[in-house]
PDB file of all heavy atoms in Angstrom:
ATOM      1  N   SER A   2      -3.221 -14.863  12.046  1.00  0.00           N
ATOM      2  CA  SER A   2      -4.417 -14.095  11.726  1.00  0.00           C
ATOM      3  C   SER A   2      -4.711 -14.189  10.231  1.00  0.00           C
ATOM      4  O   SER A   2      -3.899 -14.656   9.444  1.00  0.00           O
ATOM      5  CB  SER A   2      -4.210 -12.647  12.177  1.00  0.00           C
ATOM      6  OG  SER A   2      -4.013 -11.782  11.121  1.00  0.00           O
ATOM      7  N   SER A   3      -5.882 -13.713   9.850  1.00  0.00           N
ATOM      8  CA  SER A   3      -6.241 -13.707   8.427  1.00  0.00           C
ATOM      9  C   SER A   3      -6.005 -12.339   7.812  1.00  0.00           C
ATOM     10  O   SER A   3      -6.500 -12.042   6.735  1.00  0.00           O
ATOM     11  CB  SER A   3      -7.707 -14.106   8.262  1.00  0.00           C
ATOM     12  OG  SER A   3      -8.532 -13.162   8.911  1.00  0.00           O
ATOM     13  N   ALA A   4      -5.236 -11.517   8.496  1.00  0.00           N
ATOM     14  CA  ALA A   4      -4.923 -10.171   8.000  1.00  0.00           C
ATOM     15  C   ALA A   4      -3.548 -10.155   7.352  1.00  0.00           C
ATOM     16  O   ALA A   4      -2.718 -11.040   7.555  1.00  0.00           O
ATOM     17  CB  ALA A   4      -4.965  -9.168   9.151  1.00  0.00           C
ATOM     18  N   CYS A   5      -3.337  -9.108   6.547  1.00  0.00           N
ATOM     19  CA  CYS A   5      -2.010  -8.877   5.983  1.00  0.00           C
ATOM     20  C   CYS A   5      -1.805  -7.383   5.814  1.00  0.00           C
ATOM     21  O   CYS A   5      -2.742  -6.597   5.897  1.00  0.00           O
ATOM     22  CB  CYS A   5      -1.821  -9.630   4.666  1.00  0.00           C
ATOM     23  SG  CYS A   5      -2.915  -9.143   3.353  1.00  0.00           S
ATOM     24  N   VAL A   6      -0.560  -7.020   5.594  1.00  0.00           N
ATOM     25  CA  VAL A   6      -0.177  -5.641   5.347  1.00  0.00           C
ATOM     26  C   VAL A   6       0.377  -5.586   3.930  1.00  0.00           C
ATOM     27  O   VAL A   6       1.234  -6.394   3.558  1.00  0.00           O
ATOM     28  CB  VAL A   6       0.882  -5.167   6.370  1.00  0.00           C
ATOM     29  CG1 VAL A   6       1.371  -3.773   6.035  1.00  0.00           C
ATOM     30  CG2 VAL A   6       0.322  -5.226   7.783  1.00  0.00           C
ATOM     31  N   VAL A   7      -0.128  -4.646   3.146  1.00  0.00           N
ATOM     32  CA  VAL A   7       0.342  -4.467   1.771  1.00  0.00           C
ATOM     33  C   VAL A   7       1.005  -3.100   1.698  1.00  0.00           C
ATOM     34  O   VAL A   7       0.423  -2.090   2.107  1.00  0.00           O
ATOM     35  CB  VAL A   7      -0.815  -4.578   0.758  1.00  0.00           C
ATOM     36  CG1 VAL A   7      -0.311  -4.345  -0.660  1.00  0.00           C
ATOM     37  CG2 VAL A   7      -1.490  -5.943   0.874  1.00  0.00           C
ATOM     38  N   THR A   8       2.229  -3.072   1.186  1.00  0.00           N
ATOM     39  CA  THR A   8       3.012  -1.846   1.133  1.00  0.00           C
ATOM     40  C   THR A   8       3.310  -1.468  -0.306  1.00  0.00           C
ATOM     41  O   THR A   8       3.642  -2.325  -1.128  1.00  0.00           O
ATOM     42  CB  THR A   8       4.344  -2.036   1.897  1.00  0.00           C
ATOM     43  OG1 THR A   8       4.059  -2.521   3.206  1.00  0.00           O
ATOM     44  CG2 THR A   8       5.113  -0.743   1.992  1.00  0.00           C
ATOM     45  N   THR A   9       3.199  -0.168  -0.590  1.00  0.00           N
ATOM     46  CA  THR A   9       3.596   0.367  -1.888  1.00  0.00           C
ATOM     47  C   THR A   9       4.172   1.758  -1.662  1.00  0.00           C
ATOM     48  O   THR A   9       4.049   2.313  -0.562  1.00  0.00           O
ATOM     49  CB  THR A   9       2.415   0.400  -2.888  1.00  0.00           C
ATOM     50  OG1 THR A   9       2.912   0.714  -4.192  1.00  0.00           O
ATOM     51  CG2 THR A   9       1.363   1.417  -2.491  1.00  0.00           C
ATOM     52  N   THR A  10       4.804   2.323  -2.669  1.00  0.00           N
ATOM     53  CA  THR A  10       5.309   3.689  -2.602  1.00  0.00           C
ATOM     54  C   THR A  10       4.836   4.445  -3.831  1.00  0.00           C
ATOM     55  O   THR A  10       4.644   3.865  -4.910  1.00  0.00           O
ATOM     56  CB  THR A  10       6.849   3.737  -2.543  1.00  0.00           C
ATOM     57  OG1 THR A  10       7.381   3.005  -3.651  1.00  0.00           O
ATOM     58  CG2 THR A  10       7.374   3.159  -1.252  1.00  0.00           C
ATOM     59  N   VAL A  11       4.655   5.758  -3.665  1.00  0.00           N
ATOM     60  CA  VAL A  11       4.267   6.638  -4.765  1.00  0.00           C
ATOM     61  C   VAL A  11       5.134   7.883  -4.740  1.00  0.00           C
ATOM     62  O   VAL A  11       5.864   8.117  -3.768  1.00  0.00           O
ATOM     63  CB  VAL A  11       2.767   7.010  -4.697  1.00  0.00           C
ATOM     64  CG1 VAL A  11       1.888   5.776  -4.873  1.00  0.00           C
ATOM     65  CG2 VAL A  11       2.433   7.707  -3.401  1.00  0.00           C
ATOM     66  N   ASP A  12       5.019   8.698  -5.784  1.00  0.00           N
ATOM     67  CA  ASP A  12       5.943   9.821  -5.933  1.00  0.00           C
ATOM     68  C   ASP A  12       5.444  11.163  -5.421  1.00  0.00           C
ATOM     69  O   ASP A  12       6.133  12.173  -5.551  1.00  0.00           O
ATOM     70  CB  ASP A  12       6.374   9.958  -7.392  1.00  0.00           C
ATOM     71  CG  ASP A  12       5.211  10.207  -8.338  1.00  0.00           C
ATOM     72  OD1 ASP A  12       4.056  10.268  -7.878  1.00  0.00           O
ATOM     73  OD2 ASP A  12       5.467  10.323  -9.546  1.00  0.00           O
ATOM     74  N   SER A  13       4.243  11.215  -4.840  1.00  0.00           N
ATOM     75  CA  SER A  13       3.767  12.490  -4.285  1.00  0.00           C
ATOM     76  C   SER A  13       2.754  12.234  -3.171  1.00  0.00           C
ATOM     77  O   SER A  13       2.113  11.178  -3.129  1.00  0.00           O
ATOM     78  CB  SER A  13       3.122  13.353  -5.369  1.00  0.00           C
ATOM     79  OG  SER A  13       1.871  12.834  -5.763  1.00  0.00           O
ATOM     80  N   GLU A  14       2.606  13.223  -2.322  1.00  0.00           N
ATOM     81  CA  GLU A  14       1.623  13.125  -1.242  1.00  0.00           C
ATOM     82  C   GLU A  14       0.216  13.036  -1.816  1.00  0.00           C
ATOM     83  O   GLU A  14      -0.621  12.281  -1.325  1.00  0.00           O
ATOM     84  CB  GLU A  14       1.755  14.331  -0.322  1.00  0.00           C
ATOM     85  CG  GLU A  14       0.867  14.272   0.897  1.00  0.00           C
ATOM     86  CD  GLU A  14       1.113  15.414   1.865  1.00  0.00           C
ATOM     87  OE1 GLU A  14       1.859  16.360   1.536  1.00  0.00           O
ATOM     88  OE2 GLU A  14       0.525  15.356   2.960  1.00  0.00           O
ATOM     89  N   GLU A  15      -0.043  13.792  -2.876  1.00  0.00           N
ATOM     90  CA  GLU A  15      -1.360  13.777  -3.510  1.00  0.00           C
ATOM     91  C   GLU A  15      -1.675  12.393  -4.079  1.00  0.00           C
ATOM     92  O   GLU A  15      -2.800  11.892  -3.951  1.00  0.00           O
ATOM     93  CB  GLU A  15      -1.440  14.838  -4.621  1.00  0.00           C
ATOM     94  CG  GLU A  15      -1.334  16.262  -4.112  1.00  0.00           C
ATOM     95  CD  GLU A  15       0.087  16.703  -3.754  1.00  0.00           C
ATOM     96  OE1 GLU A  15       1.079  16.059  -4.206  1.00  0.00           O
ATOM     97  OE2 GLU A  15       0.210  17.680  -3.003  1.00  0.00           O
ATOM     98  N   ALA A  16      -0.689  11.772  -4.736  1.00  0.00           N
ATOM     99  CA  ALA A  16      -0.883  10.427  -5.284  1.00  0.00           C
ATOM    100  C   ALA A  16      -1.148   9.424  -4.172  1.00  0.00           C
ATOM    101  O   ALA A  16      -1.990   8.532  -4.309  1.00  0.00           O
ATOM    102  CB  ALA A  16       0.326  10.001  -6.111  1.00  0.00           C
ATOM    103  N   ALA A  17      -0.453   9.587  -3.045  1.00  0.00           N
ATOM    104  CA  ALA A  17      -0.650   8.688  -1.906  1.00  0.00           C
ATOM    105  C   ALA A  17      -2.063   8.819  -1.356  1.00  0.00           C
ATOM    106  O   ALA A  17      -2.740   7.811  -1.101  1.00  0.00           O
ATOM    107  CB  ALA A  17       0.377   8.981  -0.817  1.00  0.00           C
ATOM    108  N   GLU A  18      -2.532  10.046  -1.174  1.00  0.00           N
ATOM    109  CA  GLU A  18      -3.878  10.263  -0.644  1.00  0.00           C
ATOM    110  C   GLU A  18      -4.944   9.744  -1.607  1.00  0.00           C
ATOM    111  O   GLU A  18      -5.923   9.135  -1.185  1.00  0.00           O
ATOM    112  CB  GLU A  18      -4.099  11.731  -0.331  1.00  0.00           C
ATOM    113  CG  GLU A  18      -3.344  12.178   0.902  1.00  0.00           C
ATOM    114  CD  GLU A  18      -3.604  13.627   1.277  1.00  0.00           C
ATOM    115  OE1 GLU A  18      -4.556  14.257   0.748  1.00  0.00           O
ATOM    116  OE2 GLU A  18      -2.852  14.139   2.111  1.00  0.00           O
ATOM    117  N   SER A  19      -4.750   9.968  -2.885  1.00  0.00           N
ATOM    118  CA  SER A  19      -5.706   9.493  -3.885  1.00  0.00           C
ATOM    119  C   SER A  19      -5.780   7.968  -3.889  1.00  0.00           C
ATOM    120  O   SER A  19      -6.866   7.381  -3.890  1.00  0.00           O
ATOM    121  CB  SER A  19      -5.320  10.017  -5.262  1.00  0.00           C
ATOM    122  OG  SER A  19      -6.177   9.515  -6.249  1.00  0.00           O
ATOM    123  N   LEU A  20      -4.623   7.331  -3.893  1.00  0.00           N
ATOM    124  CA  LEU A  20      -4.573   5.867  -3.882  1.00  0.00           C
ATOM    125  C   LEU A  20      -5.203   5.332  -2.594  1.00  0.00           C
ATOM    126  O   LEU A  20      -6.009   4.401  -2.624  1.00  0.00           O
ATOM    127  CB  LEU A  20      -3.129   5.387  -4.021  1.00  0.00           C
ATOM    128  CG  LEU A  20      -2.921   3.879  -4.128  1.00  0.00           C
ATOM    129  CD1 LEU A  20      -3.601   3.324  -5.381  1.00  0.00           C
ATOM    130  CD2 LEU A  20      -1.426   3.569  -4.148  1.00  0.00           C
ATOM    131  N   ALA A  21      -4.868   5.933  -1.464  1.00  0.00           N
ATOM    132  CA  ALA A  21      -5.393   5.491  -0.172  1.00  0.00           C
ATOM    133  C   ALA A  21      -6.915   5.613  -0.119  1.00  0.00           C
ATOM    134  O   ALA A  21      -7.610   4.680   0.316  1.00  0.00           O
ATOM    135  CB  ALA A  21      -4.756   6.288   0.961  1.00  0.00           C
ATOM    136  N   LYS A  22      -7.433   6.739  -0.553  1.00  0.00           N
ATOM    137  CA  LYS A  22      -8.887   6.927  -0.538  1.00  0.00           C
ATOM    138  C   LYS A  22      -9.584   5.903  -1.425  1.00  0.00           C
ATOM    139  O   LYS A  22     -10.613   5.342  -1.053  1.00  0.00           O
ATOM    140  CB  LYS A  22      -9.240   8.343  -0.984  1.00  0.00           C
ATOM    141  CG  LYS A  22      -8.955   9.382   0.069  1.00  0.00           C
ATOM    142  CD  LYS A  22      -9.294  10.771  -0.439  1.00  0.00           C
ATOM    143  CE  LYS A  22      -8.969  11.829   0.596  1.00  0.00           C
ATOM    144  NZ  LYS A  22      -9.213  13.192   0.091  1.00  0.00           N
ATOM    145  N   GLY A  23      -9.032   5.647  -2.603  1.00  0.00           N
ATOM    146  CA  GLY A  23      -9.613   4.655  -3.501  1.00  0.00           C
ATOM    147  C   GLY A  23      -9.623   3.268  -2.893  1.00  0.00           C
ATOM    148  O   GLY A  23     -10.594   2.513  -3.037  1.00  0.00           O
ATOM    149  N   ILE A  24      -8.552   2.930  -2.189  1.00  0.00           N
ATOM    150  CA  ILE A  24      -8.448   1.614  -1.541  1.00  0.00           C
ATOM    151  C   ILE A  24      -9.499   1.467  -0.443  1.00  0.00           C
ATOM    152  O   ILE A  24     -10.207   0.461  -0.374  1.00  0.00           O
ATOM    153  CB  ILE A  24      -7.024   1.408  -0.980  1.00  0.00           C
ATOM    154  CG1 ILE A  24      -6.043   1.190  -2.136  1.00  0.00           C
ATOM    155  CG2 ILE A  24      -6.978   0.266   0.026  1.00  0.00           C
ATOM    156  CD1 ILE A  24      -4.586   1.284  -1.744  1.00  0.00           C
ATOM    157  N   VAL A  25      -9.620   2.474   0.409  1.00  0.00           N
ATOM    158  CA  VAL A  25     -10.575   2.401   1.520  1.00  0.00           C
ATOM    159  C   VAL A  25     -12.008   2.463   0.995  1.00  0.00           C
ATOM    160  O   VAL A  25     -12.870   1.710   1.456  1.00  0.00           O
ATOM    161  CB  VAL A  25     -10.284   3.502   2.560  1.00  0.00           C
ATOM    162  CG1 VAL A  25     -11.366   3.545   3.630  1.00  0.00           C
ATOM    163  CG2 VAL A  25      -8.909   3.273   3.209  1.00  0.00           C
TER     164      VAL A  25
END
Side-chain angles (χ1 to χ4, degrees):
S2 107
S3 62
C5 63
V6 175
V7 178
T8 307
T9 190
T10 54
V11 296
D12 60 0
S13 72
E14 185 174 9
E15 295 77 18
E18 287 183 13
S19 177
L20 184 62
K22 285 179 182 176
I24 288 167
V25 173

